[in-house]
Amino acid sequence: KQARLPWIKTLEQFDFSFQPSIDHKIVRELAGLGFVERGENVVLLGPPGVGKTHLAVALAVKAAEAGHRVLFMTLDRLVGTLMRARQENRLDRQLQQLTYPKVLVLDEMGYLPMTREEASLFFRLINRRYERASTILTSNKSFMDWGEIFGDQVIATAILDRLLHHSTTLNIKGESYRLKDKRRAGLVT
Ligand code: ADP
Ligand code: MG
């Protein structure tokens, strides 16, 4: 089955010694793909450069290798896709299509705030996928700040409720891997 991923990153390429806040055991457990079989979610939180997208893609690669249908989208693109589908009166079909992938990676939630309408479309997708298929979400914002992202605390709570009911959260605290070599060269402090 073809994996729809923008690039390939693997767990083997990930240097866990660089990011000690990540519990290696939890990642190994996720790599066993029980979460995919059970339709559970994974939430990767942390500042830029700590490996959220890398790990999300690596888990999706594992799932694709095991024969699952996977799809990667930035949250920004997902919202654009849903808004366009609504305008063109094919929202239901679009939501259905986005329910098929057994693993949906939604990257970079929180960089751009959503309007209430966008947040409610996102909620509809999360609700459709709830207990059916896995969503792997990355965000630079902690759960406390989700009300701000969705512009509405009630929708944020409803989204969190579905998303976190069966889920694993990795809260990555550490340095940006992107800046590691620059820092070593004394280019940033
Ligand atoms: P984030 O999504 O958290 O902003 P990325 O996953 O995009 O960060 O990581 C930034 C870059 O650094 C990517 O090229 C990624 O492959 C690499 N990277 C990040 N953390 C590690 C790590 N611990 N080991 C190896 N490569 C890493
Ligand atoms: Mg990223």
Side-chain angles (χ1 to χ4, degrees):
K1 225 165 281 176
Q2 207 194 337
R4 288 197 279 166
L5 298 167
W7 57 82
I8 301 296
K9 296 273 184 186
T10 65
L11 287 174
E12 290 70 31
Q13 291 164 351
F14 198 83
D15 177 6
F16 285 92
S17 69
F18 184 78
Q19 218 54 266
S21 73
I22 299 175
D23 187 341
H24 205 147
K25 268 210 312 267
I26 294 179
V27 177
R28 216 176 304 131
E29 167 77 24
L30 291 171
L33 301 179
F35 80 99
V36 178
E37 311 291 341
R38 297 188 296 269
E40 298 178 358
N41 303 320
V42 178
V43 182
L44 298 157
L45 302 178
V50 294
K52 301 181 299 295
T53 303
H54 185 134
L55 289 174
V57 168
L59 290 173
V61 166
K62 277 264 182 260
E65 283 170 358
H68 296 293
R69 187 198 296 248
V70 308
L71 177 62
F72 175 102
M73 281 180 128
T74 61
L75 207 79
D76 195 31
R77 220 191 104 213
L78 171 79
V79 166
T81 299
L82 292 176
M83 288 292 280
R84 208 170 325 112
R86 164 174 280 181
Q87 275 156 23
E88 293 168 5
N89 274 315
R90 48 179 183 77
L91 179 60
D92 222 62
R93 216 179 324 140
Q94 184 65 68
L95 284 169
Q96 193 52 40
Q97 254 175 42
L98 288 167
T99 308
Y100 291 135
K102 200 68 183 130
V103 175
L104 175 62
V105 179
L106 295 178
D107 199 27
E108 300 194 340
M109 193 189 78
Y111 284 100
L112 301 167
M114 290 185 206
T115 65
R116 192 174 291 210
E117 190 186 10
E118 290 168 343
S120 88
L121 290 179
F122 178 62
F123 171 72
R124 285 181 65 173
L125 177 66
I126 293 301
N127 205 26
R128 284 252 192 149
R129 293 181 58 80
Y130 176 62
E131 294 188 332
R132 290 194 192 101
S134 300
T135 304
I136 303 177
L137 201 112
T138 81
S139 179
N140 63 332
K141 295 269 181 4
S142 70
F143 293 134
M144 258 174 7
D145 297 329
W146 283 28
E148 216 173 283
I149 302 172
F150 297 117
D152 183 313
Q153 195 59 53
V154 174
I155 291 179
T157 303
I159 289 170
L160 277 168
D161 183 62
R162 305 297 190 287
L163 206 60
L164 300 186
H165 184 197
H166 310 286
S167 69
T168 302
T169 298
L170 281 175
N171 217 324
I172 310 176
K173 301 182 181 85
E175 280 195 67
S176 168
Y177 195 85
R178 290 190 188 103
L179 297 181
K180 156 186 90 123
D181 297 326
K182 291 201 185 107
R183 185 164 288 127
R184 195 169 289 153
L187 296 174
V188 291
T189 51

